[in-house]
Amino acid sequence: MKKRYFLHAGAAMLGTVWLSRYLSGRSEVMATAKNEFEISKTEEEWRKILTPEQFSVLRKHGTERAHTSSLDKQYAKGAYVCAACDLPLFTSDTKFNSGTGWPSFFNSIEGAIATTVDKSFFMTRVEVHCHRCGGHLGHVFNDGPAPTGKRYCMNGVAMKFIEG
């Protein structure tokens, strides 16, 4: 009986370790402070300048709940900037209502974002992060409107809106 228990426990532990790669919500190539970005801070420094929700999304690759961001229904003229470093990312001219519950854009400001492969949750997606600080913003999909056919599905908490 003890041998069988040991084998089952060992198999469960190995399975958990293997699955954690897919369930952790982290991408294969992480945009973290370990990478070289123009703005680089320690985890403690980021925690001091970001709210807990911003830190979870921008630095730990979390996702805000759908339909919770005021930026989802923001349609005034202006720019959407990174909440961590104020880099302009998107303009209001490229925003559209995707119906997903997250702010969506069909194009970014040239040079503002970078992408990595995200293989979490048993799927492959393209993760979008801030080019300057590496903060996780969301994902980009190929089901957006013309002219690009892209849908940059962003976490509103990862951005600030600057009217103008």
Side-chain angles (χ1 to χ4, degrees):
M1 182 75 166
K2 288 185 179 184
K3 186 177 181 181
R4 180 179 287 170
Y5 174 78
F6 177 75
L7 289 172
H8 284 170
M13 196 176 301
L14 285 173
T16 301
V17 169
W18 181 77
L19 282 174
S20 69
R21 171 176 191 250
Y22 297 98
L23 297 175
S24 68
R26 304 211 178 215
S27 63
E28 200 172 89
V29 181
M30 298 287 286
T32 64
K34 293 178 186 173
N35 293 339
E36 291 187 26
F37 294 101
E38 184 181 331
I39 296 177
S40 183
K41 298 179 184 295
T42 66
E43 201 169 290
E44 293 165 6
E45 290 171 322
W46 285 121
R47 284 186 190 277
K48 286 180 183 176
I49 64 169
L50 300 172
T51 67
E53 189 176 19
Q54 287 173 326
F55 182 82
S56 172
V57 170
L58 286 160
R59 307 315 306 168
K60 296 297 181 182
H61 301 256
T63 301
E64 70 186 354
R65 286 181 329 163
H67 305 286
T68 60
S69 173
S70 62
L71 295 185
D72 183 33
K73 300 298 182 198
Q74 172 63 261
Y75 291 104
K77 291 283 183 195
Y80 296 81
V81 303
C82 177
C85 73
D86 294 326
L87 178 70
L89 304 166
F90 300 94
T91 65
S92 57
D93 296 338
T94 63
K95 189 166 190 304
F96 70 99
N97 184 1
S98 66
T100 61
W102 288 281
S104 297
F105 305 85
F106 61 80
N107 208 0
S108 64
I109 294 173
E110 190 173 336
I113 63 162
T115 60
T116 55
V117 175
D118 178 353
K119 292 189 175 185
S120 61
F121 301 109
F122 301 105
M123 63 182 115
T124 300
R125 300 177 292 174
V126 178
E127 177 187 349
V128 177
H129 57 90
C130 174
H131 185 279
R132 183 161 50 191
C133 72
H136 169 76
L137 302 169
H139 294 87
V140 60
F141 303 95
N142 291 320
D143 60 0
T148 65
K150 302 284 185 193
R151 174 174 53 95
Y152 290 88
C153 189
M154 303 292 98
N155 288 286
V157 72
M159 301 181 297
K160 295 185 279 188
F161 178 70
I162 308 297
E163 198 165 342

